[in-house]
Amino acid sequence: MEPTTLDTARLRLRPFGPADEDELYAACQDPDIQRWTMVPSPYGREHARAFVGEIVPAGWREESEYAFAVRLAPDGPLVAAVGIHVRGPQSYEIGYWAAKEHRGRGYMTEAALAAARWAFTELGAGRLEWRAEVGNHGSRAVAEKAGFRMEGTMRAALPVKGTLRDCWVGALLPSDLGLPSALPYLPAVSGAV
């Protein structure tokens, strides 16, 4: 897929590139990002360089993951990152983090919704899943504000730095955002066994 840029009322989401290396490296020094996300810990300059120079371009080229740098307006500071990862046919997963100094302003929810709409309309996603380690209340709050429905807790379902952790899981469907689905959806009848 050709890399794309998304604009919202306050934000620009564009694929990470070499020019983002310094800000990415600085943001990922935050202990909370290292604790709650899949970024390496400790996070070195070589991790940022590989991410912007190799991992992101390969993900777009191979259509396996789509990572966006989230900036205030076209040329503003890096405020967050959001990625859409392929899980299976018409099934994708969203992941995100917000830079410490930009949390609490709604940027992450705005970016997550923009990425979700893009996944539904451009990738043909039928389901967008969100997962986070149990206890990551900040990530869960963003997911809930973006309209994800919590579906439960999965035991030992999240590999994190050499251990399996329990995780919360939620999902967003195109219809949750008033969008059509690529395939018809037949929900379970309430009370069915």
Side-chain angles (χ1 to χ4, degrees):
M1 169 168 279
E2 194 65 31
T4 190
T5 297
L6 310 173
D7 288 308
T8 70
R10 302 180 293 172
L11 306 171
R12 170 158 287 176
L13 288 69
R14 63 161 176 71
F16 274 97
D20 301 312
E21 181 182 328
D22 290 339
E23 286 178 284
L24 174 64
Y25 171 75
C28 288
Q29 298 311 299
D30 177 9
D32 286 335
I33 289 175
Q34 291 184 29
R35 164 64 178 93
W36 294 112
T37 72
M38 300 298 185
V39 304
S41 179
Y43 193 85
R45 177 71 65 178
E46 69 278 8
H47 297 118
R49 188 172 302 117
F51 186 74
V52 300
E54 299 167 24
I55 296 169
V56 171
W60 282 88
R61 186 174 54 253
E62 297 165 8
E63 299 186 6
S64 59
E65 58 184 302
Y66 310 94
F68 293 95
V70 180
R71 294 188 167 279
L72 277 178
D75 299 316
L78 179 70
V79 298
V82 63
I84 303 291
H85 311 273
V86 177
R87 290 194 54 80
Q90 296 197 330
S91 179
Y92 295 80
E93 183 174 344
I94 191 169
Y96 46 77
W97 54 256
K100 186 174 189 172
E101 63 273 17
H102 297 289
R103 292 181 189 143
R105 299 178 187 156
Y107 298 143
M108 196 68 264
T109 302
E110 190 174 326
L113 279 167
R117 283 189 178 90
W118 176 79
F120 293 135
T121 60
E122 299 301 317
L123 299 177
R127 173 184 169 87
L128 186 59
E129 202 166 277
W130 161 87
R131 293 174 186 224
E133 184 179 340
V134 171
N136 189 345
H137 295 283
S139 183
R140 183 174 177 145
V142 168
E144 289 176 335
K145 288 175 189 171
F148 283 77
R149 291 188 190 178
M150 295 301 118
E151 296 179 335
T153 300
M154 297 170 55
R155 297 182 310 142
L158 192 66
V160 178
K161 298 167 180 72
T163 62
L164 292 175
R165 312 274 175 98
D166 293 348
C167 72
W168 291 318
V169 64
L172 190 67
L173 304 179
S175 58
D176 295 333
L177 299 180
L179 298 170
S181 181
L183 287 175
Y185 167 52
L186 181 61
V189 177
S190 182
V193 189

